[in-house]
Amino acid sequence: MRLLASDFDGTLYRDQKIDPADLEAIAAWRAAGNFFGLCSGRAPLVAAELLRKYQIPADFIIASNGAAALDRNGAFLYRKLLGRKPVGLAYKMARELDCISVVVNREEGDLRICSFTDPAQSNTTPAALLRLPRLLQFNARFATQENATRFTARVNAEIAGITAHQNSVYIDCTVGGVDKGIGVAFMADHFQIPEAYCFTIGDNRNDLPMLMRFHGAAISSGDAETQRQTGFVVPGVAALIQTLLNE
């Protein structure tokens, strides 16, 4: 038995759709006795809804960049929560770098949004957002990749208790030390799969912790630096699964 964890946005979900060939390959992978799951920056309940909406045959979900994991029925296996102080410091830093919007994923799974360019998109205020308890993830969006990169570097260097993960102009912040690699390691232990039999696929820099820790493949349409660091590039999920099943 082997385990495959796939990123969602830009990997399994590209050009606003999922390729039917990828879904067929996932079904074949599981029919061969293997495990498949999503490993996404999306909030837990959002990721669970994606499984239902697109009828993705999956055994698990790793959500919020490793801050939470769910079983195939959407029940939480674990949650790792952020403290208010690091969230407040990250918010202040994001505003200093002219972020466009901030979003938080609550433990309950819903999203609270505060947009600074389009107030109609907001469902909370900055003051209310910073008072919310038990958060899984803090997200900041920037107008330029330069500011996003600066924010990521500053958060990781200057704020204790929080880790920033860059995905283009979107930055996802989790409790310190949590990343997608931690989530995949948890699921490997949960299913009793040796790490040597675990595979991952993704498209951007927030995927690197799992791509570098396990057998990783980068999507050819994704971030160039992620491809360079991973060293193994494939056109899609189906191509990777075909390669693995033919081994």
Side-chain angles (χ1 to χ4, degrees):
M1 291 188 295
R2 293 179 287 179
L3 181 148
L4 172 60
S6 173
D7 172 52
F8 184 75
D9 294 286
T11 301
L12 184 60
Y13 184 73
R14 291 179 291 164
D15 300 322
Q16 306 299 309
K17 65 180 185 298
I18 296 178
D19 189 334
D22 287 343
L23 295 178
E24 293 173 6
I26 293 167
W29 172 259
R30 295 178 71 241
N34 303 303
F35 296 100
F36 175 83
L38 293 183
C39 191
S40 174
R42 300 269 195 139
L45 297 188
V46 174
E49 177 57 30
L50 291 172
L51 287 189
R52 292 187 288 270
K53 179 179 179 179
Y54 293 103
Q55 299 184 346
I56 302 169
D59 301 291
F60 62 89
I61 300 168
I62 299 164
S64 298
N65 283 292
L70 299 83
D71 66 18
R72 63 187 302 174
N73 298 314
F76 279 97
L77 298 173
Y78 75 76
R79 285 170 276 204
K80 298 181 183 293
L81 303 176
L82 278 165
R84 282 192 192 179
K85 182 177 180 180
V87 169
L89 293 172
Y91 173 84
K92 180 180 179 181
M93 191 177 290
R95 293 299 290 134
E96 291 172 355
L97 292 169
D98 296 323
C99 70
I100 294 174
S101 62
V102 295
V103 179
V104 293
N105 301 351
R106 298 205 303 161
E107 180 184 19
E108 293 86 348
D110 63 337
L111 303 178
R112 296 299 174 91
I113 304 166
C114 188
S115 173
F116 305 108
T117 57
D118 184 3
Q121 293 185 7
S122 300
N123 61 9
T124 190
T125 64
L129 182 146
L130 294 175
R131 289 196 301 267
L132 291 171
R134 304 184 68 78
L135 302 178
L136 284 168
Q137 189 165 252
F138 170 86
N139 312 83
R141 180 185 178 188
F142 294 85
T144 68
Q145 188 147 333
E146 178 184 5
N147 277 357
T149 300
R150 289 174 61 197
F151 175 75
T152 303
R154 286 190 58 191
V155 167
N156 289 333
E158 300 174 24
I159 304 179
I162 195 167
T163 297
H165 314 271
Q166 184 170 1
N167 186 356
S168 185
V169 296
Y170 300 90
I171 311 302
D172 305 324
C173 299
T174 59
V175 66
V178 166
D179 56 40
K180 289 189 175 185
I182 295 295
V184 176
F186 175 89
M187 296 313 308
D189 182 69
H190 179 75
F191 290 117
Q192 298 184 319
I193 305 295
E195 291 195 5
Y197 292 90
C198 294
F199 301 84
T200 56
I201 183 168
D203 73 308
N204 221 304
R205 299 180 194 186
N206 64 323
D207 298 315
L208 282 170
M210 70 173 181
L211 298 179
M212 301 303 290
R213 179 168 178 175
F214 302 95
H215 299 292
I219 291 289
S220 57
S221 58
D223 174 65
E225 179 61 20
T226 301
Q227 296 178 38
R228 186 191 70 79
Q229 289 196 42
T230 305
F232 178 48
V233 180
V234 295
V237 172
L240 174 62
I241 289 176
Q242 183 177 7
T243 297
L244 295 175
L245 290 178
N246 288 338
E247 288 181 346

